[in-house]
Amino acid sequence: MQTELAKELLDLEIQFWQSMKDKDVDGALRLTYEPCIVAGAQGVARIDKQTFAKMMATGAWTLHDFEIRDVQVQQLNEEVAIIGYKVHEELTVDGKAVTLDAADASTWVKKNGRWLCALHTESLVGDPYGRDRQSTH
């Protein structure tokens, strides 16, 4: 059975994904700790709200749809909780249709009574050693 915290964090993740789909910069910023750390295939970055807003406004991508499943939530203390899940994404990137599956995780921190995302990671699903990707050698 899902706990109230699990429901709340999943709802916040869905709100965040929906803000990305809608290109709702203000909605995304309301859910984001400042600065937020983002890690993925592109590397690791510490992003302030101004940089985040610029990235959303100028990105060469459109998120058309997403589906979150296999959710795991763990509360570390009263002010820190983590959520991990698989996500299926349908996007357009640089004018081309892209469908991908990834494993995502977020660290949420309670500040002034509100949960804010302080860290988000995304890893493309596949072989952990990259053997399912084309070699560059």
Side-chain angles (χ1 to χ4, degrees):
M1 174 168 222
Q2 263 192 332
T3 65
E4 286 300 315
L5 176 65
K7 290 177 190 174
E8 185 177 5
L9 289 185
L10 177 56
D11 182 56
L12 291 170
E13 287 287 333
I14 291 170
Q15 286 178 44
F16 191 86
W17 278 93
Q18 190 64 45
S19 72
M20 302 296 277
K21 182 178 175 182
D22 297 341
K23 300 260 185 188
D24 176 7
V25 175
D26 291 334
L29 291 177
R30 277 193 301 275
L31 297 167
T32 304
Y33 195 90
E34 185 172 28
C36 181
I37 295 177
V38 178
Q42 76 284 358
V44 179
R46 179 186 304 261
I47 302 172
D48 62 27
K49 288 190 176 192
Q50 182 179 6
T51 303
F52 188 88
K54 184 178 178 184
M55 286 171 52
M56 277 191 69
T58 62
W61 55 269
T62 300
L63 176 63
H64 301 291
D65 204 7
F66 63 93
E67 178 187 348
I68 294 173
R69 61 188 182 285
D70 300 337
V71 177
Q72 299 288 324
V73 173
Q74 184 171 332
Q75 187 166 12
L76 303 179
N77 62 40
E78 291 298 315
E79 287 91 28
V80 180
I82 53 178
I83 182 171
Y85 52 88
K86 290 183 182 176
V87 62
H88 176 78
E89 304 173 39
E90 295 179 15
L91 313 102
T92 299
V93 180
D94 295 329
K96 296 181 181 173
V98 175
T99 300
L100 64 91
D101 293 296
D104 286 30
S106 297
T107 300
W108 290 85
V109 177
K110 194 173 264 191
K111 184 175 180 183
N112 300 323
R114 292 180 46 235
W115 288 106
L116 300 172
C117 184
L119 168 71
H120 182 77
T121 67
E122 182 167 270
S123 300
L124 297 178
V125 172
D127 183 275
Y129 299 103
R131 294 172 291 199
D132 57 344
R133 293 174 180 82
Q134 191 172 14
S135 175
T136 58
H137 300 289

